[in-house]
Amino acid sequence: MKLQKFSPWNWFKSERRDAAAPAPVEPRQGELSPLLGMHQELDRWMNGVMRQFGMPTLESRFGDLTSLLRPQLDIAERDEEYLISVEVPGVDEKDVKLTLDGDRLIIEGEKRQESSTKEDRYQRIERSYGSFRRVLDLPDDARPEEISASFANGVLKVHVPRSGEAKANRREIPIH
């Protein structure tokens, strides 16, 4: 068994692989193309470093709207299971889809939110629409056939039971 498979950033291997590289921007007439090129190269380099550690990239923070709608998640490792908590405020349970593709857990959904306020002689309407997708690679000790999920108060909780195999290979080493 590979211990590296349990590293937190390995949960997101497929998600990093699916992330598209930013398209190069062609400089317009009169722009400082060497400066622009250096800026783009620095952004690409930083995105690569951030992806390696499972951190949000610059393009996910400031890029397209689907990246901005990407829900945050927590992964807790317990003796008997992994507990994945996904924050999806303002999303109805019927708009969230959870699928298993091999050893990849795919969390998809769509956010549709509209609020309006009428004050004095004007009307303000705020809308937030878009879809999101998170792809998690399950560790070797996960039992995918027994995965269960629940949804309450804008939080999706996914319970991924663990087999006893990983615990048998893991032991505490006393320090003398």
Side-chain angles (χ1 to χ4, degrees), residues 71-82:
Q72 298 298 306
L73 57 86
D74 297 326
I75 302 172
E77 179 182 351
R78 298 177 174 172
D79 289 339
E80 301 299 321
E81 71 176 356
Y82 296 102

Side-chain angles (χ1 to χ4, degrees), residues 124-144:
R124 182 185 77 217
I125 299 176
E126 295 180 357
R127 294 180 189 95
S128 176
Y129 297 98
S131 59
F132 59 85
R133 177 181 165 113
R134 298 299 308 258
V135 180
L136 302 174
D137 291 279
L138 296 175
D140 290 332
D141 70 335
R143 293 195 313 233

Side-chain angles (χ1 to χ4, degrees), residues 154-169:
V155 177
L156 172 68
K157 291 194 178 198
V158 182
H159 299 268
V160 181
R162 299 175 70 180
S163 64
E165 297 169 13
K167 288 193 293 185
N169 293 332

Side-chain angles (χ1 to χ4, degrees), residues 43-113:
D43 284 350
R44 276 193 287 276
W45 180 80
M46 283 299 295
N47 285 336
V49 170
M50 304 281 274
R51 274 192 202 101
Q52 284 181 330
F53 294 103
M55 298 171 65
T57 62
L58 295 172
E59 61 198 19
S60 70
R61 289 183 185 204
F62 306 111
D64 59 30
L65 185 58
T66 58
S67 298
L68 292 173
L69 293 174
R70 193 172 91 165
Q72 298 298 306
L73 57 86
D74 297 326
I75 302 172
E77 179 182 351
R78 298 177 174 172
D79 289 339
E80 301 299 321
E81 71 176 356
Y82 296 102
L83 176 61
I84 304 167
S85 300
V86 185
E87 296 177 13
V88 285
V91 176
D92 292 331
E93 181 179 349
K94 64 179 176 48
D95 294 327
V96 178
K97 183 175 150 188
L98 189 63
T99 56
L100 190 63
D101 181 12
D103 64 344
R104 294 172 26 159
L105 184 66
I106 302 169
I107 304 163
E108 298 174 292
E110 188 169 351
K111 183 174 184 177
R112 288 175 253 171
Q113 186 174 352

